[in-house]
Amino acid sequence: MELLRTETSPWGQEVLLGISWDLLPLFVGAGVAVIVVHALFKAIWEPAVRRRLDRPQRG
Amino acid sequence: MRADRIVRHRLPDRVFHWVMAASVLVLLATGFLPILGVRFAWVTIHWIAGLVLTAAVLFHVVRALGWLEPSAMMVWPADLRNAWRATLRAVGRRTAVGKPGKYLLLQKLYHHAIARGLLTTVVTGLAMMVKVDTPFWTRDPYWLSDSTWGVIYVLHDLAALTSITLIMVHVYFAFRPEKLWLTRSMVLGWITGAEYAEQHDPARWRIAAAEEPTRRQPAASGGLGD
């Protein structure tokens, strides 16, 4: 996977054009990952922790 | 404003938010749809939306420094303490978690991240305006060297890509059931007294005495607030 887009100028120099668009799915995927992890945390983990904390403490 | 409602976001700030949101969505669509293969004349719409975003950001910076409370967006030790305690509670430790001021730590961090991203796109985008023919000037692609343009493009692209991630997360949280009261406040401007008492530390987000919630009165007027 390329990180940057480059091309060769008419004078033979390598010129930077920008970020590689191969990275676009990475940034979208990062957003999806945050959303999925948080949604699972709120749906499954947090209620379980809340039930445990709401139980009266022993002793 | 009804007696049981507290102003969270005044009209100029709500207008700013939605103008910024619309311009950013237009910028992302015109910037990335052509890359994804949707062909259309995107350049003019893109830089016009960019100028709208620039004007909105300038308005917000001036208003935030002159009329709002910049300290409300600063990260304080109490924010870090509450975040640590909330993390401990999330893993099952019995810990009391303090309430935030007007904004949670994550809201402040989000604001700082998106502000840096959008400011980077604005500054690099304004530089790129020199390469576009407008009614006010003729393009000059040789204003900067090729290598400098390359750096500007990389910064612009990276900031735009980061904005995609941040905006996805922002929209998700805006529609979370437990956050809908915040989303409502960005449309209508207010939160209820009960929401204020439940979600915020009154010592850290002080409201004007005139806005302190009182017993619910018969509604005199509704609508969008001031």
Side-chain angles (χ1 to χ4, degrees), chain A residues 3 16 35-36 39-40 45-46 50:
Chain A
L3 293 180
L16 194 53
I35 290 167
V36 167
L40 289 173
W45 182 275
E46 195 180 67
R50 194 174 295 126

Coordinates of all heavy atoms in Angstrom, one line a residue, chain A residues 3 16 35-36 39-40 45-46 50:
Chain A
L3 N 1.7 5.2 0.6 CA 1.3 6.2 1.5 C 1.1 7.6 0.8 O 0.3 8.4 1.2 CB 2.3 6.4 2.6 CG 2.4 5.2 3.6 CD1 3.4 5.5 4.7 CD2 1.1 4.9 4.3
L16 N 5.8 15.4 -5.3 CA 4.8 14.9 -4.4 C 3.4 15.5 -4.8 O 3.3 16.7 -5.1 CB 5.1 15.4 -3.0 CG 4.4 14.8 -1.8 CD1 4.5 13.3 -1.8 CD2 5.0 15.4 -0.5
I35 N -17.1 3.3 16.2 CA -18.5 3.2 16.4 C -18.9 1.8 16.8 O -19.7 1.7 17.8 CB -19.2 3.5 15.0 CG1 -19.1 5.0 14.7 CG2 -20.7 3.2 15.1 CD1 -19.5 5.4 13.3
V36 N -18.4 0.8 16.2 CA -18.8 -0.6 16.6 C -18.3 -0.9 18.0 O -19.1 -1.5 18.8 CB -18.2 -1.6 15.6 CG1 -18.3 -3.0 16.1 CG2 -18.9 -1.5 14.2
A39 N -20.5 1.0 20.5 CA -21.9 0.4 20.5 C -21.9 -0.9 21.3 O -22.8 -1.1 22.1 CB -22.4 0.2 19.1
L40 N -20.9 -1.7 21.1 CA -20.9 -3.0 21.8 C -20.6 -2.7 23.3 O -21.2 -3.4 24.2 CB -19.7 -3.9 21.2 CG -20.0 -4.5 19.9 CD1 -18.7 -5.2 19.3 CD2 -21.2 -5.4 19.9
W45 N -21.1 -4.5 27.6 CA -20.2 -4.4 28.7 C -20.8 -3.5 29.8 O -20.8 -3.9 31.0 CB -18.9 -3.8 28.2 CG -17.9 -3.6 29.3 CD1 -17.7 -2.6 30.1 CD2 -16.8 -4.6 29.6 NE1 -16.6 -2.8 31.0 CE2 -16.1 -4.0 30.6 CE3 -16.5 -5.8 29.1 CZ2 -15.0 -4.7 31.2 CZ3 -15.4 -6.5 29.6 CH2 -14.7 -5.9 30.7
E46 N -21.3 -2.3 29.5 CA -21.7 -1.3 30.5 C -22.9 -1.9 31.3 O -22.8 -1.7 32.6 CB -22.0 0.0 29.9 CG -22.2 1.1 30.9 CD -22.5 2.5 30.2 OE1 -23.6 2.6 29.7 OE2 -21.6 3.4 30.3
R50 N -22.7 -2.4 35.3 CA -23.7 -1.7 36.2 C -24.4 -2.7 37.1 O -24.6 -2.4 38.3 CB -24.7 -0.9 35.3 CG -25.5 0.1 36.1 CD -26.4 1.0 35.3 NE -25.7 1.9 34.4 CZ -25.9 1.9 33.1 NH1 -26.8 1.2 32.5 NH2 -25.1 2.7 32.4

